[in-house]
Amino acid sequence: MAGESRIGTLLRYAGIALVLAIVLFPVYWMINMSFKDTAEFTARPPTMIVKRPTWENYRDILISQGFDRYAWNSLLTALTAAVVAVTVGSLMAYALSRFRLPKNFNYHLLFTILTVRMFPPILSLIPLYYIYKQIGLLDTRFGLGLIHAWVEVPLVVWMMIGFFRDIPRDMEEAALVDGDTRLGVLRKIAVPLARPGLAATFILVFISSWNEFLFALILNSRNQTLPIAVAGQITQFEIRYGNLMAAGVFATVPVLILAFLTQRHLTRGLTVGGVTG
Amino acid sequence: MAIRIRAQEAARVRPVSARAPWWERNLAWLLVAPAIAMFALFAIYPTASALLFSLSRARLIRGSLERTYIGLDNFRRAFEDPLVRQSAAFTIKWSLSVTAMEVLLGLLIALLVSQLARGRGLITSLLIIPIIMPPVSVAVAWRFMYDPAFGIFNYLLNLVGLGDVYWLSDPDVATYALMAVDVWQTTPFVFLLLYAGLISLPRDPYEAAAIDGASPWFTFRTVTLPLLKPVLLVVILLRVIDSARIFDKILVMTRGGPGSQNYSMTYTIYQEFIPKFDFGYTAALSFLFQLSLVIVATIYVRRVMADYSAPAE
């Protein structure tokens, strides 16, 4: 392409600049508006960069609306989801990448788990409401975390199979020859070596649980998580847009920080599993 | 995307001696047991009880569930319910339109980015932002931009001398305004998948095309598109199934409105479930919804992807 015209290159960069502008503007606008006071909020023309930045909106949602509690609920739920999903999923991934189960079970298990990813359990939602009510998990952060974990177990399995496969087998075999047990090998060699993968997967599950809406809305109406609380800002009668924007930003910031921490593996995770709403 | 179990690799680990403790001999099963237990608890048992619910009149009355068998009445009611028909039609329209737009735009952006000499990494990281944002935050950001009085869109329209548009309450506009939000959030995801596919394509066919002096458009049609087709087909399937489940953005932005125009299937199920706690009817609805998704996916995989899916190992 070296011989191609400069205009072509220029057009391409212009095109991508336009795409980036469209992608980033709504995010920027939400942040910008969240720092405006009431007067500046309704000003026409709107100020493109906030002139008198204020924490007013954030103070409102944190102090008078209890967003600190919703954040705590979200945190506990997402941690439960991530711990459970990463444990259950990576144990299964390790088994599938190291052992050969009879009757082609490796393939069947992998296929079944993929089906779960394709059809998240909307059908389970209504019975789960009843089951949870009976066993006392309804309106608990732990119960919500469990179902979030289940939704993401397929992602963990598929990602961790890749990571476990990248670990050289020789070390494990050497340890086995030295008389170590297989469980010991898993604990002392495989898990430490797969740590970057485990961390990345943990963060992906955390993000997905943090963002989830439908299950959180129905199964945990008492300990609201952040998305539910943000949506709750919109009432029939009035919308305080300043608070709403601050709430939106407040729910987004932790996710952005986590995403940038794990950048290297994020793309892989997103393309394997897709943390989409 | 396909990850295959490499059988010969797995077999290389030597067998455990018969004198090892039972948990050592059955370690593989023990390791998959928690996942299987979760599968039973969160997939099999709820599905079975959803089926049972759907054949019953089941309501929550003063905290306890009263259930009587009524055969297929719930399903009959579902097929006769105009709201269900309407939301099924909406969901089909939504899923197909959104997928089409996202795949087209995603492909375009992927082609664009793959031709850039510099800055690809940075661009990809920036494009990831919408994917990982909470959909609810996305919805509130857009809801504000759409606001007739304070939103930026109407401000810009007024600036060029056009009148106000009621983005979320005008029946002619609302559906498209909602779709735009989904396209905004999910096109980057489609981009990411297609871009990953695009940069892993073999170089040789392109060099051959360049030697033959083929035009870019001709190269795209005869080389890129056929090579990318397997990835494209998977992406389309993923998006059709995922987008059919749209719920949060619709709830936050219009509550299904104006009227019930933008009720998706999931939104209708939610509306029937939360105030009334009609377990029987909503279980029947979710069963029908899930079943249609499975049927669509099966037909698609059999008919469209048949030539491309690798044989099971």
Side-chain angles (χ1 to χ4, degrees), chain A residues 88-98 156-158 160-161 164:
Chain A
V88 171
S90 48
L91 288 182
M92 180 172 179
Y94 185 76
L96 292 184
S97 67
R98 292 294 189 274
V156 179
V157 172
W158 283 70
M160 288 315 297
I161 280 186
F164 282 132

Side-chain angles (χ1 to χ4, degrees), chain A residues 20-270:
Chain A
L20 285 178
I22 294 171
V23 165
L24 297 178
F25 181 77
V27 185
Y28 166 71
W29 200 238
M30 177 167 65
I31 298 170
N32 184 31
M33 294 314 266
S34 73
F35 287 108
K36 292 185 178 179
D37 60 28
T38 323
E40 196 179 347
F41 206 93
T42 51
R44 289 268 149 147
T47 44
M48 287 296 146
I49 298 169
V50 57
K51 277 216 187 80
R52 300 182 300 274
T54 163
W55 289 101
E56 199 179 286
N57 295 313
Y58 289 92
R59 218 173 29 232
D60 269 2
I61 60 164
L62 275 173
I63 291 169
S64 37
Q65 309 206 35
F67 265 61
D68 52 338
R69 268 197 32 245
Y70 304 136
W72 179 241
N73 292 339
S74 275
L75 180 72
L76 287 184
T77 306
L79 281 178
T80 308
V83 169
V84 173
V86 169
T87 311
V88 171
S90 48
L91 288 182
M92 180 172 179
Y94 185 76
L96 292 184
S97 67
R98 292 294 189 274
F99 299 95
R100 199 169 182 196
L101 296 166
K103 299 201 174 172
N104 210 6
F105 243 97
N106 291 41
Y107 172 76
H108 294 307
L109 283 176
L110 208 56
F111 183 78
T112 312
I113 218 85
L114 182 67
T115 327
V116 174
R117 166 65 189 86
M118 282 299 295
F119 305 104
I122 181 167
L123 184 56
S124 315
L125 178 61
I126 282 143
L128 268 178
Y129 181 91
Y130 184 62
I131 297 167
Y132 268 26
K133 197 175 166 64
Q134 283 191 312
I135 59 178
L137 282 179
L138 192 67
D139 288 330
T140 65
R141 292 163 289 218
F142 180 71
L144 182 62
L146 273 188
I147 182 73
H148 283 170
W150 169 240
V151 174
E152 295 304 331
V153 163
L155 168 82
V156 179
V157 172
W158 283 70
M159 267 187 88
M160 288 315 297
I161 280 186
F163 281 109
F164 282 132
R165 192 165 287 152
D166 292 345
I167 297 175
R169 206 65 62 89
D170 309 356
M171 288 178 70
E172 292 179 34
E173 278 166 20
L176 281 176
V177 171
D178 288 349
D180 214 333
T181 62
R182 288 187 160 180
L183 197 59
V185 169
L186 167 61
R187 205 163 44 97
K188 283 180 263 174
I189 298 174
V191 168
L193 284 176
R195 199 166 282 157
L198 289 168
T201 321
F202 188 94
I203 288 177
L204 279 168
V205 178
F206 187 97
I207 292 177
S208 134
S209 166
W210 183 274
N211 290 349
E212 201 277 336
F213 190 75
L214 179 62
F215 284 100
L217 179 68
I218 291 179
L219 295 180
N220 197 359
S221 52
R222 216 159 290 162
N223 299 301
Q224 289 185 9
T225 55
L226 277 175
I228 315 302
V230 174
Q233 289 284 305
I234 302 171
T235 61
Q236 213 98 52
F237 308 104
E238 58 153 3
I239 303 172
R240 296 165 77 183
Y241 271 125
N243 288 4
L244 188 63
M245 294 299 107
V249 175
F250 186 70
T252 308
V253 168
V255 165
L256 283 185
I257 294 173
L258 284 176
F260 280 100
L261 283 181
T262 181
Q263 261 226 313
R264 214 154 54 81
H265 298 296
L266 191 67
T267 325
R268 180 173 183 175
L270 290 172

Side-chain angles (χ1 to χ4, degrees), chain B residues 133-264:
Chain B
M133 273 177 78
V136 170
S137 294
V138 171
V140 298
W142 280 80
R143 177 160 179 158
F144 174 64
M145 294 198 296
Y146 281 143
D147 189 272
F150 308 120
I152 182 101
F153 289 141
N154 276 356
Y155 170 73
L156 293 175
L157 284 182
N158 294 345
L159 218 57
V160 295
L162 292 169
D164 284 347
V165 173
Y166 292 86
W167 298 95
L168 295 175
S169 49
D170 182 341
D172 295 332
V173 185
T175 307
Y176 303 104
L178 288 169
M179 283 178 178
V181 181
D182 197 74
V183 171
W184 179 84
Q185 182 167 29
T186 320
T187 300
F189 171 65
V190 174
F191 153 80
L192 214 57
L193 291 173
L194 294 181
Y195 178 66
L198 211 52
I199 55 177
S200 60
L201 294 185
R203 298 303 311 161
D204 305 357
Y206 287 95
E207 279 156 20
I211 292 168
D212 290 346
S215 73
W217 171 240
F218 187 80
T219 313
F220 172 74
R221 259 188 342 164
T222 57
V223 181
T224 310
L225 215 48
L227 285 174
L228 202 60
K229 200 167 170 185
V231 182
L232 267 172
L233 291 177
V234 172
V235 172
I236 290 171
L237 178 65
L238 266 179
R239 281 311 298 151
V240 167
I241 302 284
D242 272 356
S243 61
R245 288 166 25 235
I246 181 72
F247 174 69
D248 33 23
K249 294 194 186 84
I250 286 181
L251 180 115
V252 170
M253 301 221 298
T254 72
R255 299 203 169 257
S260 59
Q261 190 197 24
N262 294 312
Y263 273 42
S264 67

Side-chain angles (χ1 to χ4, degrees), chain B residues 12-236:
Chain B
R12 256 171 60 200
V13 181
R14 70 198 164 81
V16 188
S17 84
R19 271 186 301 172
W22 66 271
W23 48 266
E24 184 74 6
R25 273 178 280 130
N26 297 308
L27 187 60
W29 288 110
L30 284 176
L31 294 177
V32 295
I36 293 177
M38 279 191 108
F39 185 65
L41 180 66
F42 288 112
I44 296 178
Y45 181 57
T47 306
S49 72
L51 273 176
L52 206 65
F53 280 145
S54 69
L55 298 173
S56 318
R57 176 180 297 115
R59 283 210 169 86
L60 210 55
I61 296 165
R62 275 182 235 100
S64 67
L65 192 76
E66 290 185 7
R67 200 167 67 77
T68 36
Y69 178 78
I70 52 164
L72 294 173
D73 277 7
N74 284 322
F75 291 97
R76 218 167 286 138
R77 183 177 152 203
F79 281 111
E80 283 161 9
D81 190 338
L83 186 62
V84 171
R85 280 192 204 164
Q86 188 201 323
S87 53
F90 170 85
T91 307
I92 294 169
K93 180 181 157 194
W94 172 278
S95 168
L96 295 181
S97 327
V98 163
T99 303
M101 284 187 277
E102 287 167 2
V103 169
L104 263 175
L105 287 172
L107 181 60
L108 214 65
I109 301 172
L111 287 170
L112 203 60
V113 173
S114 71
Q115 287 179 0
L116 297 180
R118 308 173 59 167
R120 292 190 201 185
L122 178 69
I123 291 163
T124 317
S125 342
L126 289 175
L127 286 178
I128 283 175
I129 294 174
I131 312 177
I132 54 156
M133 273 177 78
V136 170
S137 294
V138 171
V140 298
W142 280 80
R143 177 160 179 158
F144 174 64
M145 294 198 296
Y146 281 143
D147 189 272
F150 308 120
I152 182 101
F153 289 141
N154 276 356
Y155 170 73
L156 293 175
L157 284 182
N158 294 345
L159 218 57
V160 295
L162 292 169
D164 284 347
V165 173
Y166 292 86
W167 298 95
L168 295 175
S169 49
D170 182 341
D172 295 332
V173 185
T175 307
Y176 303 104
L178 288 169
M179 283 178 178
V181 181
D182 197 74
V183 171
W184 179 84
Q185 182 167 29
T186 320
T187 300
F189 171 65
V190 174
F191 153 80
L192 214 57
L193 291 173
L194 294 181
Y195 178 66
L198 211 52
I199 55 177
S200 60
L201 294 185
R203 298 303 311 161
D204 305 357
Y206 287 95
E207 279 156 20
I211 292 168
D212 290 346
S215 73
W217 171 240
F218 187 80
T219 313
F220 172 74
R221 259 188 342 164
T222 57
V223 181
T224 310
L225 215 48
L227 285 174
L228 202 60
K229 200 167 170 185
V231 182
L232 267 172
L233 291 177
V234 172
V235 172
I236 290 171

